[in-house]
Amino acid sequence: MELLINNNVLREGSYAPIKPLNKVQRTLKSMHIKRYENIFPQILFVTSYPPRECGIATYSQDLVHAIQNKYLPGFQLKVCALENGESSFHYPKEVMYVLDTNYGKGYIDLAHSVNKNSHIECVLVQHEFGFFQKEHQKDFLDFLTQLKVPSIVAFHTVLPKPDTDLLSNVKAIGKASSKIIVMTNNAAKILIDDYGFLKENIEVIHHGTHLVQGENKEELKQKYNLLGRKVLSTFGLLNSGKGIDLTLEALPNIIENNPDVIFLIIGKTHPSVVKSEGEIYRDKLRNLVIELKLEKHVKFFNSYFALESLLELLQLTDVYLFTSKDPNQAVSGTFSYALSCGCPVVSTPIPHAIEVLSRNSGVIIDFNAPHQLSNAVNILLGSDELRKSYRASSIQKFASTAWENSAIAHGLLFKQILDQKNKVDAAKTEKNLLKSSALNYRLPPLNFLHLNKMTTEFGMLQFSEISHPDKSSGYTIDDNARALIVVCMNFERNQNETDLFSIVKYLNFICYCQQASGAFLNYVNIDKHFTSQNNLVNLSDANGRAIWALGYMISNHAILPEAYIKTAEASLDKCYQEIENMHSPRAMAFAIKGLFYANQKEKLGVRTYLIGVLGQRLFQMFKHESDFSWQWFESYLTYANSVLPEALLMAGITTNKIEFKETAKYTLDFLISKIFHQDQIRVVSNKTWLHRGVVSAKYGEQPLDVCYTVLALDTFIKLYPLEQYKDLIKHSFNWFLGNNQLNQIVYNPSTGGCYDGLEEDHVNINQGAESLVCYLMARLTIEKHVKSVR
């Protein structure tokens, strides 16, 4: 017997290493990749893998892709695909070995092969008891114990109250492993309480989920010919354990209250079920549909759905039904996907559901209780507001489970394991030093989807509900000024004419807000009327931001149409008296930046004079407030702190005053000492600020403060090209990508939006204008300092 894998014929046997490419096949690209494989350690995933149809196979591929997309080369991910002796698949290139789990000798052969491969530094096993049948449990243990590299075992099932054999087997797996991964806190508790595992040996990494853009439900229903229907759905590889017959029994009562309801049963029958019994269960369900006269209310999808289509079907779902009959099902990917798409869920009490569902995100019913199911569904379908509330709660709760966050958690775990291994290595080679370095995040592609979504024909809206623009929030000059800077920055890099339309729109908004005195109003409602809020709050900082935007636009005079520049200059010229009257430190700082940039077109005396005046005021503030231990302009650190030393440096460059430059560097270094912790930025909390001699809260971090730190470091690097600053600017930007105290993404690559902040134990998932434009400013700035390897 021969297996054909990746166009290489492999002999029948225990495991099969894939042959390397020959010299003819090695293109320049493959040689480039091979070079990185020789430098960086390899992590071997032992798991089922597509095209095998299996939940864990899909999970593993999603995880591999998520890690590869999150990080630049730091470790290479390879796969040993698990097969059951009767299958033959054509695997993707990352599959390095194939293990027949029914062939006992193969386990030891695989261990020996791994030990001989000097590049493999860690093994991650995706464990399911069905993979390793009872007669091969010892073989699997022998594989783990024979490995000379650290191993991690991820349990997809953790059974409570084990018998003697199960207890002994699981404890032996734990003893042979460097770390255990489980996907729920309940599973971790069972390992500790029932198996005697130590808490410090267990890592909880939740089942990954896909981020979605939050499509319009009615538009999706129209796309799938479901307009006017209330949609119930369930999905996954079909088998009798899914309990779908329970829903069919409950459906007549649901139809009585909701005659427009339709139930979608999405997914093929599980391949192992087809192999053992054919389509008996699906036929049983079809017959039950006919018996209960449900033909107009049930639709079967007996096919594979591409991920995009599946996520759309979940987003159009009004209520998702999870009716598993297995009380010990530790985790469910389908359940997780539904919640992450915002589906209100009705579920049987599997441990995963008990842990994550609450009264504001779903309903738990008993096993085999169709009456409870119909009642729960009728209540949810009867209240649009209740479903909307459940949707928001589900998306908030499952934001942390995004595949991007799973990749971060696994990356940190791999780094921890590899660093521990290095500590016991006697020789420190170049490869070891690379393994001990910080994780290198991959720079995301620029994405203006959310910027365009948040912008009307008049300007940029202020807030959003999750990723949906909130028109009732109206507009501010704050956001439109920063948006003008963003599109000017982007126009600098590609001179795409489509940006010109946005530049005109944001510039016109700024001019619309300017009063006869030269000052700007800030708040405009959706009907384009100035609101009373303009009379209730100090508008100095908003005026400063408008001046910053105008000046930055003028600095692009060489590439922008002359008429645009003249409009911006005319607006800025009206501001000089207002600028001279500024005394708020951040308003002065923003104004200095605007004047500094405008001077790059033409160094005017009035601009230079005003920069000097405002710079002197900042310098005097520093002299008044600072002492040996507090090198700052005020007695506390609040928001947008980085703009103060940046502006003073610009004033020093303009006036050539050495005291301005020196003070700018003193204050930036002081700020750095307060907000950086090793390779991670933790900006001042907006809950408490940071008062002299007082410890600030460790949460309430805003994208604005991180962005301004990136911008300030970019300015300082031009005059002081210190390696410290070059490292810190990268660490600062990586805050958006997950290098923060929650180890969670703040930038959402699916929507192109940016979450509104880090709280104590979660991200604020609303994606408003301020967060968005601050991310984009930082992203456009950092690409000058980061070389991305694709």
Side-chain angles (χ1 to χ4, degrees):
M1 174 184 176
E2 291 183 330
L3 301 179
L4 184 64
I5 300 181
N6 278 5
N7 299 318
N8 294 291
V9 177
L10 307 175
R11 295 179 181 176
E12 180 187 15
S14 55
Y15 76 98
I18 291 180
K19 296 178 182 179
L21 298 173
N22 60 41
K23 290 183 180 180
V24 176
Q25 292 171 310
R26 283 197 191 114
T27 64
L28 289 175
K29 182 177 179 181
S30 66
M31 290 175 67
H32 180 72
I33 295 170
K34 198 73 177 176
R35 178 166 59 86
Y36 281 106
E37 290 180 352
N38 290 335
I39 295 175
F40 296 108
Q42 293 178 353
I43 312 293
L44 181 68
F45 282 53
V46 179
T47 177
S48 59
Y49 208 71
R52 180 176 177 179
E53 292 178 328
C54 162
I56 293 178
T58 303
Y59 168 90
S60 296
Q61 187 175 60
D62 285 341
L63 177 57
V64 167
H65 290 171
I67 295 171
Q68 290 173 335
N69 289 336
K70 174 55 64 175
Y71 298 113
L72 293 172
F75 30 71
Q76 294 289 317
L77 304 183
K78 298 297 180 181
V79 175
C80 171
L82 300 179
E83 294 185 353
N84 57 13
E86 299 179 11
S87 302
S88 174
F89 300 107
H90 186 88
Y91 288 104
K93 63 183 180 181
E94 60 266 25
V95 175
M96 192 178 202
Y97 304 104
V98 173
L99 173 64
D100 178 357
T101 56
N102 292 331
Y103 187 81
K105 185 176 179 295
Y107 293 85
I108 295 300
D109 289 345
L110 177 60
H112 290 166
S113 183
V114 170
N115 291 338
K116 291 178 182 177
N117 188 329
S118 61
H119 299 305
I120 297 176
E121 299 281 354
C122 181
V123 172
L124 169 60
V125 180
Q126 302 294 338
H127 182 279
E128 181 58 73
F129 290 102
F131 287 162
F132 310 106
Q133 298 297 326
K134 191 168 184 178
E135 60 270 25
H136 293 297
Q137 288 177 1
K138 183 179 182 302
D139 297 322
F140 175 65
L141 280 173
D142 288 342
F143 164 71
L144 290 178
T145 56
Q146 288 294 316
L147 288 174
K148 295 180 180 179
V149 297
S151 62
I152 305 167
V153 174
F155 281 119
H156 287 251
T157 297
V158 179
L159 299 173
K161 300 175 182 174
D163 60 25
T164 302
D165 289 344
L166 179 60
L167 176 65
S168 175
N169 181 44
V170 172
K171 290 183 73 171
I173 292 173
K175 185 178 180 181
S177 306
S178 300
K179 208 78 168 180
I180 295 295
I181 294 175
V182 292
M183 298 180 193
T184 65
N185 294 313
N186 178 71
K189 187 175 186 301
I190 292 173
L191 285 180
I192 294 168
D193 294 346
D194 294 3
Y195 293 86
F197 279 50
L198 296 177
K199 183 178 180 180
E200 55 265 32
N201 292 337
I202 302 171
E203 197 80 21
V204 178
I205 303 178
H206 297 288
H207 192 297
T209 57
H210 295 278
L211 294 169
V212 295
Q213 293 181 14
E215 303 288 351
N216 182 282
K217 186 184 290 285
E218 295 308 306
E219 290 178 2
L220 287 176
K221 285 186 177 182
Q222 186 173 23
K223 176 178 178 179
Y224 288 92
N225 297 317
L226 294 169
L227 200 60
R229 306 298 295 267
K230 292 179 179 177
V231 178
L232 313 177
S233 74
T234 190
F235 89 93
L237 294 173
L238 197 63
N239 63 79
S240 60
K242 295 281 187 183
I244 293 173
D245 45 317
L246 173 74
T247 302
L248 297 180
E249 292 172 17
L251 209 50
N253 190 19
I254 297 172
I255 295 169
E256 185 177 340
N257 290 272
N258 301 276
D260 53 355
V261 77
I262 186 167
F263 177 40
L264 310 182
I265 303 171
I266 306 165
K268 297 169 63 175
T269 303
H270 198 290
S272 63
V273 173
V274 173
K275 179 180 174 182
S276 62
E277 62 181 46
E279 293 285 4
I280 291 176
Y281 182 63
R282 185 179 295 272
D283 291 341
K284 174 187 173 183
L285 295 178
R286 291 187 184 279
N287 291 333
L288 188 57
V289 167
I290 295 170
E291 178 185 335
L292 296 174
K293 297 180 172 57
L294 302 174
E295 292 94 330
K296 295 181 180 179
H297 300 278
V298 178
K299 188 171 184 178
F300 289 88
F301 292 92
N302 186 11
S303 60
Y304 169 81
F305 269 85
L307 179 64
E308 180 181 358
S309 298
L310 176 60
L311 295 177
E312 287 181 342
L313 286 169
L314 288 175
Q315 289 178 83
L316 65 79
T317 293
D318 294 295
V319 180
Y320 184 83
L321 305 177
F322 185 82
T323 50
S324 170
K325 295 180 178 180
D326 183 1
N328 295 318
Q329 185 170 351
V331 68
S332 165
T334 62
F335 175 85
S336 298
Y337 282 16
L339 282 164
S340 69
C341 286
C343 296
V345 172
V346 176
S347 174
T348 49
I350 68 165
H352 194 186
I354 293 171
E355 180 172 318
V356 303
L357 285 185
S358 60
R359 58 186 177 182
N360 64 344
S361 59
V363 180
I364 294 178
I365 61 172
D366 292 331
F367 291 107
N368 301 311
H371 184 66
Q372 290 182 25
L373 189 150
S374 62
N375 285 345
V377 169
N378 284 331
I379 290 171
L380 287 170
L381 292 181
S383 173
D384 292 343
E385 286 302 311
L386 184 60
R387 294 198 309 278
K388 182 179 178 181
S389 171
Y390 277 26
R391 174 182 180 276
S393 177
S394 297
I395 293 174
Q396 174 67 76
K397 188 173 294 185
F398 271 73
S400 63
T401 69
W403 278 115
E404 290 77 3
N405 291 329
S406 181
I408 293 167
H410 281 86
L412 291 170
L413 180 57
F414 294 154
K415 182 179 184 302
Q416 175 190 342
I417 295 294
L418 294 176
D419 285 352
Q420 289 173 350
K421 181 177 182 297
N422 285 344
K423 288 180 181 179
V424 300
D425 288 344
K428 297 295 181 181
T429 65
E430 181 184 0
K431 183 168 67 174
N432 288 336
L433 292 173
L434 283 166
K435 287 184 293 185
S436 298
S437 64
L439 295 169
N440 295 309
Y441 290 82
R442 192 180 293 276
L443 196 62
L446 276 164
N447 183 348
F448 292 96
L449 179 66
H450 197 53
L451 182 77
N452 295 332
K453 192 175 179 181
M454 289 289 290
T455 301
T456 70
E457 83 291 345
F458 184 57
M460 170 168 274
L461 293 165
Q462 185 176 10
F463 297 137
S464 74
E465 294 181 359
I466 307 180
S467 62
H468 296 284
D470 179 8
K471 292 185 177 180
S472 68
S473 67
Y475 310 88
T476 68
I477 202 168
D478 287 332
D479 298 323
N480 283 272
R482 285 182 289 237
L484 177 59
I485 294 170
V486 165
V487 291
C488 284
M489 291 174 75
N490 194 53
F491 190 73
E492 286 178 52
R493 62 191 291 276
N494 60 21
Q495 297 188 32
N496 189 324
E497 290 190 2
T498 58
D499 285 331
L500 294 176
F501 295 102
S502 298
I503 288 171
V504 170
K505 187 176 296 186
Y506 300 133
L507 176 61
N508 284 343
F509 184 91
I510 292 174
C511 294
Y512 183 86
C513 293
Q514 191 167 31
Q515 306 301 292
S517 66
F520 299 90
L521 297 180
N522 190 24
Y523 301 98
V524 184
N525 67 21
I526 194 63
D527 297 318
K528 306 179 185 178
H529 298 142
F530 295 111
T531 72
S532 59
Q533 194 173 358
N534 289 294
N535 302 317
L536 302 175
V537 298
N538 190 312
L539 301 182
S540 295
D541 287 4
N543 276 256
R545 291 187 190 97
I547 293 163
W548 171 22
L550 291 169
Y552 191 86
M553 180 177 171
I554 293 167
S555 73
N556 284 278
H557 63 94
I559 56 175
L560 288 174
E562 183 179 358
Y564 296 11
I565 299 301
K566 286 184 176 179
T567 301
E569 287 182 317
S571 180
L572 182 61
D573 288 346
K574 296 177 184 177
C575 300
Y576 294 145
Q577 188 60 54
E578 289 294 325
I579 293 173
E580 189 167 16
N581 293 333
M582 284 181 172
H583 289 85
S584 168
R586 284 157 187 79
M588 293 191 295
F590 292 132
I592 288 172
K593 290 187 68 171
L595 295 168
F596 177 83
Y597 284 121
N599 262 358
Q600 292 181 17
K601 174 181 182 288
E602 184 180 4
K603 193 168 184 179
L604 298 182
V606 63
R607 294 174 188 161
T608 302
Y609 163 76
L610 289 171
I611 290 173
V613 169
L614 300 185
Q616 187 64 32
R617 288 175 188 168
L618 287 177
F619 180 66
Q620 289 300 324
M621 290 180 67
F622 171 78
K623 288 178 66 176
H624 182 266
E625 290 292 344
S626 64
D627 58 30
F628 178 76
S629 62
W630 188 261
Q631 299 280 296
W632 196 243
F633 305 89
E634 302 164 294
S635 61
Y636 50 83
L637 295 168
T638 58
Y639 74 100
N641 296 298
S642 302
V643 74
L644 300 181
E646 182 190 15
L648 190 57
L649 181 63
M650 288 177 169
I653 293 170
T654 302
T655 64
N656 204 28
K657 288 188 176 181
I658 190 66
E659 63 268 29
F660 285 6
K661 296 178 184 178
E662 289 179 345
T663 302
K665 190 171 186 310
Y666 293 152
T667 51
L668 179 70
D669 290 344
F670 170 77
L671 180 62
I672 286 171
S673 73
K674 297 297 182 183
I675 64 174
F676 280 93
H677 303 263
Q678 296 180 342
D679 65 348
Q680 193 173 94
I681 188 173
R682 297 181 185 177
V683 294
V684 174
S685 169
N686 68 347
K687 308 297 183 186
T688 60
W689 304 135
L690 177 56
H691 293 263
R692 191 191 311 223
V694 179
V695 177
S696 175
K698 294 182 179 179
Y699 56 94
E701 298 181 57
Q702 302 293 296
L704 177 145
D705 293 289
V706 179
C707 166
Y708 287 176
T709 304
V710 170
L711 298 181
L713 285 165
D714 178 61
T715 299
F716 272 82
I717 286 170
K718 293 168 186 173
L719 190 62
Y720 304 105
L722 304 176
E723 289 302 317
Q724 179 198 17
Y725 290 170
K726 293 177 183 179
D727 288 338
L728 292 178
I729 195 171
K730 296 172 188 175
H731 297 329
S732 298
F733 181 76
N734 286 343
W735 180 90
F736 291 102
L737 307 183
N739 184 23
N740 53 57
Q741 60 180 333
L742 292 184
N743 294 321
Q744 292 185 29
I745 56 169
V746 183
Y747 167 65
N748 183 320
S750 176
T751 64
C754 180
Y755 297 135
D756 280 350
L758 288 184
E759 303 303 334
E760 186 170 12
D761 57 4
H762 66 279
V763 295
N764 179 342
I765 61 171
N766 291 324
Q767 298 162 50
E770 178 182 284
S771 302
L772 167 64
V773 292
C774 284
Y775 166 77
L776 288 172
M777 276 195 281
R779 168 62 181 81
L780 287 159
T781 300
I782 196 63
E783 67 179 19
K784 297 179 290 185
H785 302 273
V786 175
K787 291 183 179 179
S788 179
V789 179
R790 295 292 176 182

